[in-house]
Amino acid sequence: MEMDLNAQEKKAGFFQRLQDFPSKLKDDVTKRVKNVQKFAKDDPRRIIHSMKVGVALTLVSLLYYVRPLYISFGVTGMWAILTVVVVFEFTVGGTLSKGLNRGFATLIAGALGVGAVHLARFFGHQGEPIVLGILVFSLGAAATFSRFFPRIKQRYDYGALIFILTFSFVAISGYRTDEILIMAYQRLSTILIGGTICILVSIFICPVWAGEDLHKMIANNINKLAKYLEGFEGEYFQPEKISKETSSCVREYKSILTSKSTEDSLANLARWEPGHGRFRLRHPWKKYLKIAGLVRQCAVHLEILNGYVLSNDKAPQEFESKIQEPITTMSREVGEALKAIAKSIKTMRNDSACVNAHIDNSKKAIKNLKIALKSSYPETYKDLLEIIPGVTMASILIEVVNCVEKIYEAVEEFSGLAHFKETLDSKLSAEIGQHQLLHRGCVKPVLDGDNEKEDNSSCHVLITVHDEGYLPTATAKNVLGAEKTRVDIV
Amino acid sequence: MEMDLNAQEKKAGFFQRLQDFPSKLKDDVTKRVKNVQKFAKDDPRRIIHSMKVGVALTLVSLLYYVRPLYISFGVTGMWAILTVVVVFEFTVGGTLSKGLNRGFATLIAGALGVGAVHLARFFGHQGEPIVLGILVFSLGAAATFSRFFPRIKQRYDYGALIFILTFSFVAISGYRTDEILIMAYQRLSTILIGGTICILVSIFICPVWAGEDLHKMIANNINKLAKYLEGFEGEYFQPEKISKETSSCVREYKSILTSKSTEDSLANLARWEPGHGRFRLRHPWKKYLKIAGLVRQCAVHLEILNGYVLSNDKAPQEFESKIQEPITTMSREVGEALKAIAKSIKTMRNDSACVNAHIDNSKKAIKNLKIALKSSYPETYKDLLEIIPGVTMASILIEVVNCVEKIYEAVEEFSGLAHFKETLDSKLSAEIGQHQLLHRGCVKPVLDGDNEKEDNSSCHVLITVHDEGYLPTATAKNVLGAEKTRVDIV
């Protein structure tokens, strides 16, 4: 009886599931479709790239569809299809690198292959396959070995692969066909057609430049550091007020810790690209890697700092409140400096005045911090152990300021090589500098929301004059000459 | 007259250079040859791999050289050559992944391509290229888009590429040939032949397993951390005694900071590999990445620590000498613990006793350090600022101990999943544990030089008994039962 009930239950469950199936399937499909839509929206260039591949394939298939073309190329047109599929990369640099590698490697290997076949024919019908075999073995092995060398691997890996492929192919086929020259010529010409289609579509339809991606990536990474440092005060001193969302957004810097390989490959591809937009042909791509290294070093410091933010083991309230003000100023100012650096990279305009002012401010805050530390000891607390977490945190933050200074120096050097423009702000500050204002106050840009959206550098200037009565309003207004500018004397 | 002299000088210089040219060329060539030899010696598997590619190419060229084979395959034998060149990778996992991707993608895309051609023929000779064009465009674009999804990119990127290739190829050729089924069959069979040759050569001639590389890499990375920590005392307290060579060797840990992409790709390839040697089919490859992440976290701490080692801004001598002893013990013991962990991974034998003892010792040293810090303050120094570098360094080192504990926990969890064996040491310690020796002393392995060479775990045991008279000599000798064992009572 129980068995029967059990079976009935199972049956009912099965029907239930059967009934639910369509709705579950629908939910699942909707979810997946939404995922794909979101993925495409995150970077619409992915959709465009896919379309571009479709266009290139359609173009190359004309070699088969259009009668006169088919008569001249025949089935070797497939090499063109193959070339399009394997050469077309997301970035222009990738496509150019693969296309040029493929073209030149085919040319060289084809010529060598034809030579090898002619050489082998001297050894008679018996000796021919042996000589060819030895040649294919040795050149194949040598080219494979060359692919291990970092320099070759980085730039000519694909070329070495195609070299082995074409040489083996021509040399081995040469044993069975006499039309080897025609074959080599056909292979080369169809590869050239496929490669040219790829390169043209890649460059002229919504191009994705590896160089530009690298440029933006470095600027964004610097912004990520800035975000963390600006949120640092809240995270450390008022963790209860921070929502989880803000918290995860603030920890975006973590991606920098492992972004080296992406940066390296983008820099490598960027060197294949012709001049485009703001980037000239010999743009100093390698310098980006230097800056990226320093940015990563800074991220390493933030990672340690973050350990102290998340830790429950903090210094006593009394001590913390003493260092809170200088720490807050330090992290905020150094964050602002990073933001200004990121903006100057994004807009390719020098903005030393902004950055210098913020770095100076954070250095002043370091001094204040040291005074606070000195004054609170050893009178207030008898136990050094209690305040170690606070002291360590402060010490790492000081290192962060040093890191940011190094980043700034590297960006300064880079800005000269990359021909950054001078900003209005710099001109302003130069003029103001004559009045030695900078030694008395600070120039602080008020950024409107996201830097991403305001690449036109409409940086408002907020001038704080601490101890002197000089009024720079008129000068500033004259130089900037725009209603947008807001110059306040605080 | 002067002109004449100048011209004469130039001429003489030219002849001089011409005379020097052969010797310079010789020097240059010798240098390059030596470089290549060194490169090959560094990892002789590179030479072997190159030879293997040569062998696979020679085998596949038999399709052309042997008459009966050529009669059955004809020129489509070139697909086999192509497959060998592009599928043969350095590791077995790489070859398997590419081979299987290529095989299955060709099968599926070939079938779809044949279907597409039959479908298009319904639309008459005029409509056929249009329908085919639309199909090639849309499937090509969709497959290209799918390659952006991280999951597909990681495991099936090559498959998607070959899918586009084969589908376009079959669908487009289908317009011009009626023997499309034969063509698809020939392409599939030659690719299978090429792929099989690659996989067989890759597995049966000196295989390079991605899994084993990953395993060794993680263990070596842990050893790199250990090396730095063991050299830390000298680097920090007696920097003048350290030679440049030792110094660079000690900083090997830096490579860990950027090794994530290599680890990820090795783990990904390892999952394609069949069981081999000590690794079963479902070896927990993903767990390596967890350990690697913790190891990297530890390396991040060492990077910060290294900043304090290199800095000239150190705490006063008097303070440093107070903390020197506990710091030395801490870094040495935690380095030993890491060495023991690395060894237990390399030999795949559990050695909790060794590791636990070292971690316990380093924790005791932390306590001593805290006592030293507490006792020295605030009596000795009035200025907190002076000792900040020393305090920060100590604080980071304490974090390192925490990191190492986390690494150890992860390795412990992993050792269960990966079926590590119990070592003699563990048995010994279990027996000794009954006498509660571990609570009073420490078990410390004396490693003979490089861990690499002594994978047979002939770990000597040095037992230090601090405050009790219990003599474990007999017990230890009984358990280990070997002359190799040296048991000292210090």
Side-chain angles (χ1 to χ4, degrees), chain B residues 151-452:
Chain B
R151 271 202 190 172
I152 293 178
K153 187 165 192 66
Q154 203 183 29
R155 303 200 74 183
Y156 308 111
D157 191 55
Y158 188 64
L161 186 82
I162 295 299
F163 176 88
I164 307 171
L165 183 63
T166 307
F167 180 78
S168 316
F169 180 54
V170 172
I172 296 172
S173 318
Y175 181 63
R176 289 286 173 194
T177 175
D178 288 327
E179 295 167 336
I180 186 169
L181 266 179
I182 298 175
M183 203 188 73
Y185 161 74
Q186 276 181 334
R187 183 169 150 82
L188 186 64
S189 58
T190 45
I191 281 181
L192 287 184
I193 291 173
T196 312
I197 288 177
C198 283
I199 292 173
L200 293 180
V201 171
S202 176
I203 293 184
F204 292 106
I205 306 182
C206 311
V208 176
W209 302 99
E212 206 170 319
D213 270 20
L214 176 66
H215 185 87
K216 281 185 185 162
M217 187 178 179
I218 302 295
N220 279 336
N221 281 353
I222 296 179
N223 259 335
K224 285 177 187 172
L225 299 180
K227 257 188 207 170
Y228 184 81
L229 286 164
E230 295 200 324
F232 180 73
E233 184 214 353
E235 292 264 333
Y236 189 82
F237 294 105
Q238 293 133 11
E240 63 286 350
K241 283 191 193 162
I242 304 290
S243 72
K244 266 201 174 168
E245 257 171 63
T246 342
S247 180
S248 77
C249 150
V250 145
R251 275 182 194 88
E252 277 175 0
Y253 76 87
K254 277 184 189 274
S255 69
I256 303 171
L257 293 172
T258 50
S259 66
K260 186 171 188 298
S261 54
T262 317
E263 289 155 7
D264 284 353
S265 89
L266 281 178
N268 188 28
L269 295 181
R271 288 161 69 193
W272 289 90
E273 289 174 350
H276 55 279
R278 304 171 294 170
F279 309 106
R280 309 180 184 200
L281 181 61
R282 295 195 171 279
H283 193 72
W285 297 116
K286 275 198 165 177
K287 289 284 166 194
Y288 284 97
L289 297 183
K290 192 186 161 191
I291 300 175
L294 293 168
V295 169
R296 195 159 15 261
Q297 190 67 19
C298 192
V300 164
H301 281 85
L302 294 195
E303 182 70 0
I304 300 290
L305 213 52
N306 193 40
Y308 287 93
V309 167
L310 298 181
S311 153
N312 293 322
D313 185 23
K314 287 191 178 162
Q317 190 60 40
E318 209 177 334
F319 176 75
E320 299 266 304
S321 62
K322 276 217 172 177
I323 59 168
Q324 180 163 6
E325 203 258 306
I327 290 281
T328 307
T329 317
M330 251 165 90
S331 62
R332 195 191 56 224
E333 288 293 328
V334 86
E336 294 276 350
L338 282 169
K339 263 195 176 171
I341 294 173
K343 197 180 165 193
S344 102
I345 293 180
K346 259 190 195 163
T347 57
M348 292 185 85
R349 287 167 183 276
N350 243 335
D351 201 357
S352 352
C354 257
V355 184
N356 272 326
H358 288 300
I359 289 185
D360 282 350
N361 284 347
S362 54
K363 280 184 173 170
K364 274 179 207 155
I366 293 181
K367 276 185 195 159
N368 291 339
L369 173 73
K370 287 187 173 170
I371 294 170
L373 285 176
K374 209 170 181 174
S375 72
S376 68
Y377 268 83
E379 292 77 19
T380 330
Y381 311 97
K382 290 288 166 202
D383 192 354
L384 180 69
L385 289 185
E386 277 190 343
I387 58 158
I388 282 186
V391 170
T392 311
M393 181 275 291
S395 179
I396 304 281
L397 199 56
I398 293 175
E399 287 299 314
V400 170
V401 176
N402 290 337
C403 279
V404 172
E405 251 194 300
K406 275 186 204 153
I407 294 176
Y408 176 54
E409 276 162 23
V411 171
E412 276 279 273
E413 186 201 337
F414 167 73
S415 73
L417 293 170
H419 309 284
F420 277 23
K421 286 180 191 156
E422 289 296 315
T423 51
L424 288 177
D425 296 352
S426 301
K427 285 186 198 160
L428 165 73
S429 71
E431 193 155 326
I432 293 172
Q434 291 173 359
H435 300 278
Q436 294 178 310
L437 182 77
L438 277 178
H439 295 285
R440 300 172 225 150
C442 99
V443 178
K444 174 184 162 197
V446 182
L447 300 177
D448 302 330
D450 193 359
N451 272 359
E452 202 84 45

Side-chain angles (χ1 to χ4, degrees), chain A residues 134-424:
Chain A
I134 293 172
L135 283 173
V136 167
F137 177 89
S138 43
L139 266 173
T144 305
F145 185 67
S146 79
R147 290 176 70 195
F148 284 111
F149 288 91
R151 271 202 188 172
I152 293 177
K153 187 166 192 66
Q154 203 184 27
R155 304 199 74 182
Y156 309 110
D157 191 56
Y158 189 65
L161 186 82
I162 295 299
F163 176 88
I164 307 172
L165 183 62
T166 307
F167 180 78
S168 316
F169 180 54
V170 172
I172 296 174
S173 319
Y175 181 62
R176 290 285 173 193
T177 176
D178 288 328
E179 293 168 337
I180 186 168
L181 265 179
I182 298 175
M183 204 188 73
Y185 161 74
Q186 275 181 335
R187 183 168 150 82
L188 187 64
S189 57
T190 45
I191 282 181
L192 286 184
I193 291 173
T196 312
I197 289 177
C198 283
I199 291 174
L200 292 181
V201 172
S202 176
I203 293 184
F204 292 107
I205 307 182
C206 310
V208 176
W209 302 99
E212 206 169 319
D213 270 20
L214 177 66
H215 185 86
K216 281 185 185 161
M217 187 178 179
I218 302 294
N220 279 335
N221 282 352
I222 295 179
N223 258 335
K224 285 177 187 173
L225 298 180
K227 257 188 205 169
Y228 184 81
L229 285 164
E230 295 200 324
F232 180 74
E233 184 214 353
E235 291 264 332
Y236 189 82
F237 293 106
Q238 294 134 11
E240 63 286 351
K241 282 192 194 162
I242 304 290
S243 72
K244 268 201 175 171
E245 259 172 63
T246 341
S247 181
S248 78
C249 150
V250 146
R251 277 184 193 85
E252 277 176 1
Y253 77 87
K254 276 183 189 276
S255 69
I256 304 171
L257 293 172
T258 51
S259 66
K260 187 171 189 297
S261 54
T262 317
E263 288 155 8
D264 285 353
S265 89
L266 281 178
N268 188 28
L269 294 181
R271 287 161 71 195
W272 289 91
E273 290 174 351
H276 54 279
R278 303 171 293 171
F279 310 106
R280 308 181 185 200
L281 182 61
R282 295 196 171 279
H283 193 72
W285 297 116
K286 274 197 167 179
K287 289 284 167 196
Y288 284 97
L289 297 184
K290 192 186 163 190
I291 300 175
L294 293 169
V295 169
R296 196 159 14 263
Q297 190 69 18
C298 192
V300 163
H301 280 85
L302 295 195
E303 182 69 0
I304 300 290
L305 213 51
N306 194 39
Y308 287 93
V309 167
L310 298 181
S311 153
N312 292 322
D313 185 23
K314 288 191 177 162
Q317 189 60 40
E318 208 175 336
F319 176 76
E320 299 266 302
S321 62
K322 277 218 169 174
I323 59 169
Q324 181 163 4
E325 203 258 307
I327 290 281
T328 306
T329 317
M330 251 166 89
S331 62
R332 194 192 57 224
E333 287 293 327
V334 86
E336 294 275 352
L338 282 169
K339 262 196 176 171
I341 294 172
K343 195 178 166 194
S344 101
I345 293 181
K346 259 190 195 164
T347 56
M348 293 186 83
R349 287 167 183 275
N350 244 334
D351 201 358
S352 351
C354 257
V355 184
N356 272 327
H358 288 299
I359 290 185
D360 282 350
N361 285 348
S362 54
K363 280 185 174 172
K364 274 179 207 154
I366 294 180
K367 276 185 195 159
N368 292 339
L369 174 71
K370 287 188 174 171
I371 294 170
L373 285 176
K374 210 170 180 173
S375 72
S376 69
Y377 267 84
E379 291 77 17
T380 330
Y381 312 99
K382 290 289 166 199
D383 191 355
L384 180 69
L385 289 185
E386 275 190 342
I387 58 158
I388 282 186
V391 170
T392 312
M393 182 275 291
S395 180
I396 304 281
L397 198 57
I398 293 175
E399 288 299 314
V400 169
V401 177
N402 291 337
C403 279
V404 172
E405 251 194 299
K406 275 185 204 153
I407 293 175
Y408 175 54
E409 276 162 23
V411 172
E412 274 281 273
E413 187 200 337
F414 168 73
S415 72
L417 294 169
H419 309 284
F420 277 24
K421 286 180 190 157
E422 289 296 314
T423 50
L424 287 176

